[in-house]
Amino acid sequence: MALRLTQRLLQTQTPFLTRGYPMLVTKEKSEDVAHTKSSLQKKVTRTDIPSAQYGGRHAVTMLPGGGIGPELMTYVREIFSYCGAPIDFEVIDIDPSTEGNDDLDYAIMSIKRNGVALKGNIETKSQELSDISRNVAIRNELDLYVNVVHCKSYPGIPARHQDIDVVLIRQNTDGEYAMLEHESVPGIVESMKVVTVENAERVARYAFEYARQNNRKKVTTIHKANIMKLSDGLFLECANRVHKDYPELEHDNMIIDNTCMQAVSKPHQFDVMNMTNLYGTIVSNVLCGLMGGAGLISGRNYGDHYAVFEPGTRNTGTAIAGKNIANPVAMINASIDMLNHLGHKEHANVIYEATYQTICNDAIRTPDLGGNHSSTDVVENILKILSAKRVNW
């Protein structure tokens, strides 16, 4: 009788287990397939919107990071709460002084669970070789292979140039940020720069596809192939090859040092820029500096399965933390990008309009933009504008 009872329990449990896990198994298999496909099989790159949870709301991982990150995240939560944005944040603080990676592992697990994250810059104070950069580790572990920074001028903001409208497409996981360094003999350190055909073609295709879908005219590939003939030469070769699939678009290339000079003197010649990891860091900071500083522009990181949103220049801002003078606009813009990604267009639009009116029309600006207002002054004015708006969702 006990044997028959055991058999019946096994028979009743098996269907339950079969029903409970196929979604997880399918996702794991699809991820394995996605990572083994060549970039040519991924001609149209897309980032799936995570399924809505809890009555149309989305769970989003929030990583405040260090420096001004925690205070900026507080402003974002306040604005979202005020306008009723259907987002539930899972806040995870990563201690920059710790030498282990437990906090990092938990943060990555949370992003994999939620599919989307909003993050500040995460410091890595430990100098131990085993303790890798948390920011780079997140991008590598989630295969966030492309970073998109739309550098568009705000009218009325004091800047070196007006009417800039350039999109930077940055390779996120290869290049000098591979974190492959070693001391071959005492006093001699070697650092490897990694460029792969798969990732070079993926980011090039993303750049050309972005240009096509957004009515852009030209893609410029940034490189140093005159010196790094194999690595940057391969990156440029991949871009030239992918361009053949987009004959309606113009494609040229420019050496990185000349790019910086041209960006400072004639930034309007650029439309969409395709570049490796380190060059993207340099050019994005140059362009953001020309437009008013680090406090305005947001950045988007995309992979085949996950998306992470953050300020465009990835600065920690430790020197101004806690002084109520940090510009909250870049982080607010990152949260707007996140809302658009999740399909909450109305909330994204009203927050964008309120932010735009605050800094452009009402001239409520922090000191980095030539103003004399505090961070809270900017946020309070945004909330005041939102109080007169109505959002349906």
Side-chain angles (χ1 to χ4, degrees):
M1 183 172 179
L3 179 61
R4 288 198 301 271
L5 179 61
T6 302
Q7 290 173 339
R8 289 187 62 186
L9 285 172
L10 289 173
Q11 290 172 353
T12 58
Q13 287 177 352
T14 303
F16 170 76
L17 292 174
T18 305
R19 288 194 300 269
Y21 288 95
M23 185 176 294
L24 295 176
V25 173
T26 303
K27 182 178 180 182
E28 290 173 358
K29 287 183 178 179
S30 67
E31 289 182 1
D32 291 340
V33 171
H35 288 302
T36 56
K37 286 192 299 184
S38 74
S39 58
L40 295 178
Q41 291 174 294
K42 303 176 184 177
K43 288 195 173 181
V44 180
T45 305
R46 64 185 178 85
T47 304
D48 291 334
I49 297 176
S51 300
Q53 303 175 22
Y54 313 117
R57 301 181 67 84
H58 281 95
V60 171
T61 303
M62 175 177 278
L63 306 177
I68 60 176
E71 56 195 272
L72 299 186
M73 293 300 191
T74 300
Y75 302 144
V76 169
R77 291 200 298 270
E78 188 175 357
I79 291 171
F80 276 33
S81 175
Y82 198 86
C83 71
I87 302 295
D88 296 313
F89 287 113
E90 180 183 0
V91 182
I92 299 175
D93 292 307
I94 298 180
D95 187 352
S97 60
T98 58
E99 295 186 355
N101 292 319
D102 291 343
D103 291 346
L104 174 64
D105 292 339
Y106 182 71
I108 291 173
M109 180 182 67
S110 171
I111 299 173
K112 288 183 176 180
R113 178 171 61 246
N114 296 325
V116 176
L118 181 68
K119 70 178 283 292
N121 199 50
I122 302 170
E123 292 182 287
T124 306
K125 292 184 177 180
S126 173
Q127 299 300 313
E128 295 294 326
L129 291 177
S130 58
D131 292 330
I132 59 179
S133 165
R134 276 76 183 269
N135 299 291
V136 176
I138 288 173
R139 295 194 286 269
N140 288 345
E141 179 65 24
L142 300 176
D143 192 29
L144 302 172
Y145 64 89
V146 65
N147 172 244
V148 182
V149 179
H150 187 183
C151 298
K152 186 173 182 179
S153 298
Y154 282 87
I157 299 295
R160 299 284 183 180
H161 294 278
Q162 297 294 333
D163 301 320
I164 295 175
D165 188 359
V166 183
V167 179
L168 277 61
I169 308 295
R170 169 187 175 184
Q171 207 286 328
N172 234 358
T173 54
D174 275 355
E176 295 83 358
Y177 285 33
M179 297 187 297
L180 297 175
E181 296 181 305
H182 65 275
E183 189 174 32
S184 52
V185 297
I188 299 179
V189 174
E190 297 177 317
S191 179
M192 294 182 63
K193 174 176 181 174
V194 177
V195 176
T196 62
V197 170
E198 178 177 2
N199 285 329
E201 287 187 350
R202 276 205 294 180
V203 70
R205 192 166 299 281
Y206 190 100
F208 283 105
E209 195 66 37
Y210 182 98
R212 172 181 283 176
Q213 294 182 10
N214 291 275
N215 298 316
R216 298 277 174 162
K217 305 300 182 185
K218 181 176 71 172
V219 175
T220 302
T221 296
I222 311 303
H223 64 92
K224 191 65 176 174
N226 58 323
I227 303 298
M228 289 173 272
K229 299 181 185 298
L230 289 178
S231 56
D232 281 25
L234 177 60
F235 188 83
L236 180 57
E237 176 188 336
C238 290
N240 288 331
R241 185 162 56 244
V242 172
H243 174 235
K244 295 177 181 178
D245 295 332
Y246 301 85
E248 77 279 12
L249 297 174
E250 180 184 349
H251 178 232
D252 61 2
N253 66 84
M254 189 175 292
I255 296 173
I256 176 60
D257 37 349
N258 185 37
T259 300
C260 294
M261 182 184 69
Q262 295 295 328
V264 172
S265 58
K266 300 176 182 178
H268 304 94
Q269 67 184 287
F270 298 110
D271 194 358
V272 176
M273 304 174 76
N274 168 42
M275 63 198 77
T276 57
N277 211 329
L278 178 61
Y279 305 157
T281 300
I282 296 169
V283 176
S284 63
N285 277 266
V286 169
L287 285 176
C288 288
L290 291 174
M291 296 169 49
L296 288 175
I297 307 302
S298 59
R300 297 169 276 163
N301 301 281
Y302 294 121
D304 289 332
H305 304 283
Y306 311 107
V308 174
F309 302 89
E310 62 185 345
T313 59
R314 299 173 175 172
N315 292 329
T316 307
T318 305
I320 58 173
K323 297 181 179 180
N324 198 22
I325 59 173
N327 191 340
V329 173
M331 188 66 78
I332 294 171
N333 281 335
S335 71
I336 293 169
D337 293 339
M338 182 196 71
L339 287 171
N340 279 315
H341 172 76
L342 293 172
H344 301 300
K345 307 292 185 182
E346 288 195 44
H347 292 88
N349 288 338
V350 295
I351 296 174
Y352 173 79
E353 290 169 0
T355 305
Y356 184 94
Q357 181 177 331
T358 294
I359 63 172
C360 294
N361 300 340
D362 300 339
I364 308 296
R365 302 167 187 163
T366 46
D368 60 306
L369 300 180
N372 57 6
H373 295 89
S374 66
S375 309
T376 50
D377 288 338
V378 174
V379 175
E380 286 172 2
N381 197 74
I382 292 173
L383 296 179
K384 176 183 175 182
I385 297 169
L386 288 174
S387 66
K389 296 180 180 290
R390 187 168 190 164
V391 182
N392 298 309
W393 62 284

